[in-house]
Structure formats: structure tokens, C-alpha cells
Amino acid sequence: MATDRAKTRYVVLGLLCAGPGTGYTLKAAIERAIGHFWRESYGQLYPTLNQLADEGLAEKVSKPSGGRPRYEYSITDAGREALAAWLLEPPSEVPVRDELMLKVFFGRYGALPTLREHLQASLRRFEATAQQLSMAQAWLRKEQADAPDLPFWLLSADRGARVAEARAQWARHAIEVIENLEAQSP
Amino acid sequence: MATDRAKTRYVVLGLLCAGPGTGYTLKAAIERAIGHFWRESYGQLYPTLNQLADEGLAEKVSKPSGGRPRYEYSITDAGREALAAWLLEPPSEVPVRDELMLKVFFGRYGALPTLREHLQASLRRFEATAQQLSMAQAWLRKEQADAPDLPFWLLSADRGARVAEARAQWARHAIEVIENLEAQSP
DNA sequence: TTAGTCATGTAAATCGTTACATGATTGG
DNA sequence: CCAATCATGTAACGATTTACATGACTAA
């Protein structure tokens, strides 16, 4: 019974709107398209797919490729309705849990050089994300120019890029602050 | 056995470094000080406190106030060591799961006015957070001017303010985009 | 007197990751 | 032939939330 805290269902239904797919291809699609704000594991994905099929929100069709078992899922009308209903509900707040920030906040009880290294590693990741999402936007504008989903896809990439850029700027500032602290104390 | 994916332990240990507290006051401190990047429930907090006491990382002392039971916890040397050891480890990546973004990404399958309302509600929250954290920084500089933790506290508030500001700017842009789409289609 | 705050916990349910288990196909 | 990729799943464990249960103190 659709516990409804489980959002995996809607991720799957949303992606199936763009066309049928297997557990494997959906996993790849999640990483590629929404990986900057959502992730799923196979352990979550495969049971959810079977559950959606049981509930009639998706249709499961065996499409073996070679000797390999393969199940393709497509969305049903009931599935589209379930997705639309969920889209109407106000989104729940982000459950924020950022371990880097914890280590910054409690920074005084650790070693400054280590903290700086954590920050530098994070900065590299933030920069990579920001750049990757900027490129994604350019690619979308060029290659998906007439997809009806385009504005929504652009918006999500844009949000990712902006947040990553803000995080990167903050990290640069933080590294400076820590370096100053390092210089002041032996 | 310190499963070590459980970060609640370190949140508690870190806060106890600033002085002893009860489960209730720690919950309040988490919300006030690190609520913009971390949250805990009582269901997590109280068992963790007892566990830390069992392991000798915190000391539990009964301090009833009136007829009311009350347990004050303080950090031990072993607790400080455990915190310091954890601070050395590289932070794990943020497990990102942002429901608003999911609703934006799948926006085409829902109603535009509803999406706009979700965005407007989120914008208000982002603006509130940004403003609140800016004020927190000013307050910290004034009232905690000589706390040795000051730079670390400022850094975390700064990160929250920057990210919230970036999100707010994005939300304003997103609302515009959705309004344009609404104007274009009946 | 009543609402709000202070205060501590447990139990059930669920959510989610990680590790395990297996094996075919494809490109170099 | 070997590594990477395609492909599906389960089991165990652990993390986390939510609801429940209880009750004293305090200020308006």
C-alpha cells in the first residue's frame, strides 16, 4: 500500500513517461538525468519495479536479449494518474544531512590541515559538478531543442549548476579562512 | 559496535564539547545551530545518548529538576578522541534527494499553476533561510566575538546563506519560466 | 486553568544501502 | 580471451522516522 514516503515509485513513473525501460536502463537514466539531486540503488529499484507492476501502475513485459533475461517496463494510464496526483502535493522539505558541514562546524576539535584537505577535495567536486551541469545545459539547448520537457530539464540543470557554483565559491572562501587560521597558530 | 555510518554519535559528541546537555537541550541546539544542514529526531537522539554512555564516550548524570527526571550528559576524554578520529576521515558525499527538483524535472506531467505554487512556497523558505543565516552571522560576530569556534560557526552559516541565496535566485528564475509557459499554453 | 515548554523514552514500520549471487554478451 | 557492460534480483543489516506514551513545571 503505497506508503508514499517512498519516492522511488514516482522517479520510476516519471522516467517511464519518456518511454519504456529496464531496471538497468532506468538506473543509468537516473544517474545521467537527475543524479545531481537524486539517487537510487538497485536494491530499491528492482523491488519497486515489480511492485509497480503488481499495482498496475506499470506493465512488465519479458523481452529477453539473447539468452539474457530482460524485463521492459512501460507506464500505464493508472501510473500516469498516480504520478499526476503526486505532482500536485507540496514537496516535502529536503532532509538535509551534510557531513562536510558537520566537520567544518566542529572544526576546532580536529586538525586544520585535514579540514583544509577535505575542503579542497569538496571544492574539486563542486567545480566539476558546476561545469558538468553548465555543459549539460548547452547540450540540452542544442540537442533537445524541441523536446517538450526542455524547459523543465533546463531548470533542474540550472539549479544544480547554481547551487554547485555557490558551494564552490563558499569552499574557496573557507579554504582561505582555514589557511589564515593555520598561519596564525603553529 | 560503532557502525560508523551513524553520524548522530558525532553530532552529539561535537555539541557536548561546548558543554554538558540533556537530550532535550541537544535537540534544541541541533535545530538552532546546525539545523540548516543537519537534523535529528528524538527517536535517534535518546538511544544514541544512552549508547554513548554505555561505551564510555559520554557520562550520564541524573540531574532531576523538580519532580522531573533529567539526565545530563558530558563528553569524556574517550569521547573527544572518538570525535577527533572521525574528523580525520574524509566526509562521505551528501546523499542528495530533493523532492522539489523531482517535481520540477517531471513538471510536464503535472499542472503548471501547481508547480508554480510549489516554487513560490519554496522561494519563501529559501529567502527566509538566507535572511536568517545572514542575521545569524551578524549576531555571531557581535555576541560570540571571542569564541574560539567563531570562524567555524561563521563558515557554516555562510555556506547556508550562500546556498539558500543561490536557491532563491534560481526559484525566482524558475517562477518566471513557468509563468511564461503558462502564458503560452491555455 | 490551560497552553506551552521541559523532559524521556519505546515500538513499529519503513527506508535504503551494501554485499552477495549469477550469468550472458560484446568489443578490443 | 578478458574486461566491461548488460542484466536481475535477494538478504541482511542498519538507519531513521513517526507515532505512541507519559508527566511535571510555568507563565499568562
Side-chain angles (χ1 to χ4, degrees), chain A residues 118-134:
Chain A
H118 294 342
L119 285 166
Q120 282 161 340
S122 295
L123 171 58
R124 282 191 291 274
R125 263 181 279 137
F126 298 152
E127 285 175 334
T129 303
Q131 212 206 338
Q132 185 213 306
L133 288 173
S134 294

Side-chain angles (χ1 to χ4, degrees), chain B residues 10 14 20 27-28 71 85 87-88 91 112 115 119 134 140 155 159 168 186:
Chain B
Y10 303 108
K27 177 70 155 66
Y71 301 96
L87 286 172
L88 290 178
L112 289 179
L115 180 57
L119 285 165
S134 294
L140 280 170
L155 277 180
R159 177 270 190 188

Side-chain angles (χ1 to χ4, degrees), chain B residues 55-181:
Chain B
E55 293 171 31
L57 304 185
E59 203 191 355
K60 179 179 189 173
V61 177
S62 177
K63 292 230 176 150
S65 96
R68 213 172 358 193
R70 194 162 165 279
Y71 301 96
E72 214 176 59
Y73 293 84
S74 41
I75 195 166
T76 64
D77 287 337
R80 260 178 278 265
E81 276 167 46
L83 176 65
W86 174 74
L87 286 172
L88 290 178
E89 286 163 37
S92 62
E93 263 178 272
V94 199
V96 259
R97 283 196 136 190
D98 189 323
E99 203 179 321
L100 172 67
M101 293 317 300
L102 223 41
K103 296 198 174 185
V104 169
F105 190 83
F106 297 132
R108 189 160 81 85
Y109 310 107
L112 289 179
T114 309
L115 180 57
R116 182 169 38 77
E117 280 158 34
H118 293 341
L119 285 165
Q120 281 161 341
S122 295
L123 171 59
R124 283 192 290 275
R125 264 181 278 136
F126 298 151
E127 286 174 334
T129 302
Q131 211 205 338
Q132 185 212 306
L133 288 173
S134 294
M135 294 192 312
Q137 285 176 78
W139 181 86
L140 280 170
R141 263 187 262 267
K142 209 174 250 182
E143 307 295 328
Q144 300 288 322
D146 32 325
D149 281 297
L150 180 67
F152 305 101
W153 294 348
L154 280 177
L155 277 180
S156 33
D158 184 38
R159 177 270 190 188
R162 285 185 202 238
V163 170
E165 192 47 59
R167 283 200 233 253
Q169 276 170 24
W170 168 80
R172 276 179 222 115
H173 168 62
I175 289 165
E176 253 183 62
V177 170
I178 302 301
E179 279 171 347
N180 286 340
L181 287 176

